Protein backbone atom coordinates (compact mmCIF):
# COMPACT_ATOMS: atom_id res chain seq x y z
CA UNK A 1 0.00 0.00 0.00
CA UNK A 2 1.16 3.55 -0.58
CA UNK A 3 0.98 6.54 1.78
CA UNK A 4 -2.13 7.99 0.07
CA UNK A 5 -4.06 4.72 0.41
CA UNK A 6 -3.13 4.51 4.11
CA UNK A 7 -4.19 8.14 4.74
CA UNK A 8 -7.47 7.55 2.88
CA UNK A 9 -8.23 4.45 4.94
CA UNK A 10 -7.50 6.30 8.21
CA UNK A 11 -9.72 9.17 7.06
CA UNK A 12 -12.66 6.78 6.88
CA UNK A 13 -12.74 6.65 10.67
CA UNK A 14 -15.07 9.43 11.85
CA UNK A 15 -13.54 11.35 14.75
CA UNK A 16 -14.15 14.33 16.90
CA UNK A 17 -11.88 17.34 16.46
CA UNK A 18 -9.64 18.58 19.24
CA UNK A 19 -7.20 21.36 19.83
CA UNK A 20 -4.24 20.26 21.93
CA UNK A 21 -2.81 23.16 23.94
CA UNK A 22 0.15 23.74 26.21
CA UNK A 23 1.98 26.69 27.70
CA UNK A 24 5.64 27.62 27.87
CA UNK A 25 6.91 30.73 29.67
CA UNK A 26 3.40 32.18 29.86
CA UNK A 27 2.65 31.75 26.14
CA UNK A 28 -0.08 29.31 25.08
CA UNK A 29 0.36 27.16 21.97
CA UNK A 30 -2.20 24.95 20.23
CA UNK A 31 -2.58 22.42 17.43
CA UNK A 32 -5.63 20.81 15.83
CA UNK A 33 -5.60 17.03 16.18
CA UNK A 34 -7.91 14.04 16.07
CA UNK A 35 -5.40 11.51 17.44
CA UNK A 36 -6.74 11.40 20.98
CA UNK A 37 -8.35 8.70 23.12
CA UNK A 38 -9.02 7.69 26.69
CA UNK A 39 -6.70 5.05 28.13
CA UNK A 40 -7.73 4.31 31.71
CA UNK A 41 -10.45 5.12 34.22
CA UNK A 42 -8.35 4.31 37.28
CA UNK A 43 -6.15 6.27 37.16
CA UNK A 44 -7.77 8.67 34.69
CA UNK A 45 -5.44 8.70 31.67
CA UNK A 46 -5.66 9.87 28.05
CA UNK A 47 -3.25 9.69 25.12
CA UNK A 48 -2.45 12.16 22.34
CA UNK A 49 -0.28 11.54 19.29
CA UNK A 50 1.94 14.38 18.03
CA UNK A 51 3.97 14.25 14.80
CA UNK A 52 7.75 14.63 15.07
CA UNK A 53 7.62 17.73 12.85
CA UNK A 54 4.90 19.48 14.87
CA UNK A 55 6.08 22.67 16.61
CA UNK A 56 4.03 21.84 19.71
CA UNK A 57 6.00 18.61 20.34
CA UNK A 58 8.99 20.28 22.03
CA UNK A 59 6.66 22.65 23.88
CA UNK A 60 4.75 19.77 25.52
CA UNK A 61 8.06 18.10 26.35
CA UNK A 62 9.29 21.32 27.97
CA UNK A 63 6.08 22.18 29.86
CA UNK A 64 5.07 18.67 30.95
CA UNK A 65 1.40 19.64 30.57
CA UNK A 66 -1.28 19.72 27.88
CA UNK A 67 -5.00 20.17 27.48
CA UNK A 68 -7.39 18.50 25.10
CA UNK A 69 -10.20 20.76 23.92
CA UNK A 70 -12.94 18.74 22.20
CA UNK A 71 -14.51 21.19 19.78
CA UNK A 72 -18.20 21.96 19.38
CA UNK A 73 -19.98 21.97 16.01
CA UNK A 74 -19.78 25.78 15.90
CA UNK A 75 -15.98 25.80 16.32
CA UNK A 76 -14.85 24.78 12.83
CA UNK A 77 -13.04 28.11 12.44
CA UNK A 78 -11.15 27.43 15.68
CA UNK A 79 -10.03 24.08 14.25
CA UNK A 80 -8.87 25.78 11.06
CA UNK A 81 -6.92 28.43 12.98
CA UNK A 82 -4.95 25.82 14.93
CA UNK A 83 -4.47 23.71 11.79
CA UNK A 84 -2.77 26.70 10.16
CA UNK A 85 -5.51 27.08 7.53
CA UNK A 86 -6.53 30.52 8.82
CA UNK A 87 -3.62 32.86 9.50
CA UNK A 88 -3.18 35.94 11.65
CA UNK A 89 -5.99 35.28 14.12
CA UNK A 90 -5.29 35.64 17.81
CA UNK A 91 -7.17 33.30 20.12
CA UNK A 92 -7.75 33.99 23.80
CA UNK A 93 -7.29 31.05 26.14
CA UNK A 94 -9.21 30.46 29.36
CA UNK A 95 -7.75 28.49 32.30
CA UNK A 96 -8.56 25.10 33.79
CA UNK A 97 -6.32 23.81 36.59
CA UNK A 98 -3.97 26.66 35.60
CA UNK A 99 -3.62 25.24 32.07
CA UNK A 100 -4.73 26.90 28.78
CA UNK A 101 -8.14 25.82 27.43
CA UNK A 102 -10.50 27.06 24.71
CA UNK A 103 -13.80 28.64 25.66
CA UNK A 104 -16.82 26.98 24.06
CA UNK A 105 -15.30 23.50 23.73
CA UNK A 106 -17.70 20.67 24.63
CA UNK A 107 -15.00 19.21 26.85
CA UNK A 108 -11.80 20.65 28.27
CA UNK A 109 -9.42 18.05 29.69
CA UNK A 110 -6.39 19.27 31.66
CA UNK A 111 -3.44 16.86 31.89
CA UNK A 112 0.05 16.37 33.24
CA UNK A 113 2.36 14.25 31.10
CA UNK A 114 2.92 10.92 32.85
CA UNK A 115 4.73 9.10 30.03
CA UNK A 116 6.12 9.71 26.55
CA UNK A 117 6.66 7.07 23.85
CA UNK A 118 8.17 7.55 20.39
CA UNK A 119 6.47 5.31 17.83
CA UNK A 120 7.19 5.70 14.12
CA UNK A 121 7.02 9.37 13.16
CA UNK A 122 4.92 10.38 16.19
CA UNK A 123 5.32 10.79 19.94
CA UNK A 124 2.54 9.47 22.16
CA UNK A 125 1.96 11.42 25.36
CA UNK A 126 0.07 9.72 28.16
CA UNK A 127 -1.63 12.37 30.24
CA UNK A 128 -2.87 12.09 33.82
CA UNK A 129 -6.15 13.99 33.89
CA UNK A 130 -6.13 16.70 36.56
CA UNK A 131 -9.44 18.43 35.78
CA UNK A 132 -12.36 18.40 33.33
CA UNK A 133 -14.96 20.96 32.28
CA UNK A 134 -17.99 19.97 30.16
CA UNK A 135 -20.52 21.88 28.01
CA UNK A 136 -23.75 20.53 26.49
CA UNK A 137 -23.32 21.15 22.74
CA UNK A 138 -23.09 19.15 19.54
CA UNK A 139 -19.58 17.97 18.55
CA UNK A 140 -17.54 18.93 15.51
CA UNK A 141 -16.91 15.76 13.45
CA UNK A 142 -14.21 15.02 10.86
CA UNK A 143 -14.72 12.28 8.26
CA UNK A 144 -13.18 11.58 4.86
CA UNK A 145 -11.25 14.87 4.84
CA UNK A 146 -14.27 17.07 5.64
CA UNK A 147 -15.91 18.65 8.66
CA UNK A 148 -19.30 17.15 9.50
CA UNK A 149 -22.04 17.40 12.09
CA UNK A 150 -24.82 15.15 13.23
CA UNK A 151 -27.91 15.61 11.07
CA UNK A 152 -30.26 13.37 12.99
CA UNK A 153 -29.48 11.38 16.08
CA UNK A 154 -29.75 7.66 15.43
CA UNK A 155 -30.38 5.10 18.18
CA UNK A 156 -27.28 3.11 19.11
CA UNK A 157 -27.34 -0.54 18.12
CA UNK A 158 -24.72 -2.57 19.96
Amino acid sequence: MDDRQFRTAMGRFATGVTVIATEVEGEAHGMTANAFMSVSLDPKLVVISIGQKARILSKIQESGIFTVNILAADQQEMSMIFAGQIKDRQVEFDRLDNKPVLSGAIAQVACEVSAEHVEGDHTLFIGKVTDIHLEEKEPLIFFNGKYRSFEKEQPAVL
Side-chain angles (χ1 to χ4, degrees), residues 9-151:
M10 296 304 103
R12 300 276 166 90
F13 183 66
T15 67
V17 181
T18 73
V19 169
I20 306 302
T22 193
E23 186 174 64
V24 175
E25 296 178 2
E27 186 176 351
H29 305 273
M31 179 190 88
T32 299
N34 61 2
F36 156 74
M37 68 177 208
S38 63
V39 173
S40 170
L41 186 58
D42 186 19
K44 291 167 184 58
L45 301 173
V46 298
V47 66
I48 59 172
S49 179
I50 306 294
Q52 297 300 337
K53 295 179 182 176
R55 290 183 299 239
I56 201 168
L57 177 67
S58 63
K59 296 178 185 332
I60 294 173
Q61 290 169 324
E62 182 178 343
S63 70
I65 58 118
F66 64 89
T67 63
V68 179
N69 300 272
I70 302 173
L71 300 185
D74 63 356
Q75 292 184 300
Q76 180 177 330
E77 182 175 296
M78 190 75 65
S79 171
M80 295 172 75
I81 290 168
F82 287 101
Q85 297 168 331
I86 297 176
K87 308 283 186 200
D88 301 323
R89 295 264 176 91
Q90 294 296 329
V91 174
E92 293 293 321
F93 286 86
D94 288 339
R95 310 295 291 176
L96 178 67
D97 191 33
N98 203 32
K99 297 170 183 69
V101 292
L102 294 175
S103 178
I106 63 173
Q108 301 165 335
V109 183
C111 301
E112 296 172 352
V113 174
S114 67
E116 177 181 334
H117 305 280
V118 176
E119 293 295 334
D121 59 1
H122 279 64
T123 297
L124 305 176
F125 290 99
I126 307 293
K128 178 183 175 197
V129 177
T130 60
D131 205 353
I132 289 178
H133 176 78
L134 302 172
E135 297 281 339
E136 287 298 321
K137 298 180 177 182
E138 290 295 315
L140 182 61
I141 306 294
F142 198 73
F143 172 73
N144 213 21
K146 296 180 182 171
Y147 292 101
R148 313 284 177 127
S149 61
F150 292 126
E151 290 185 23

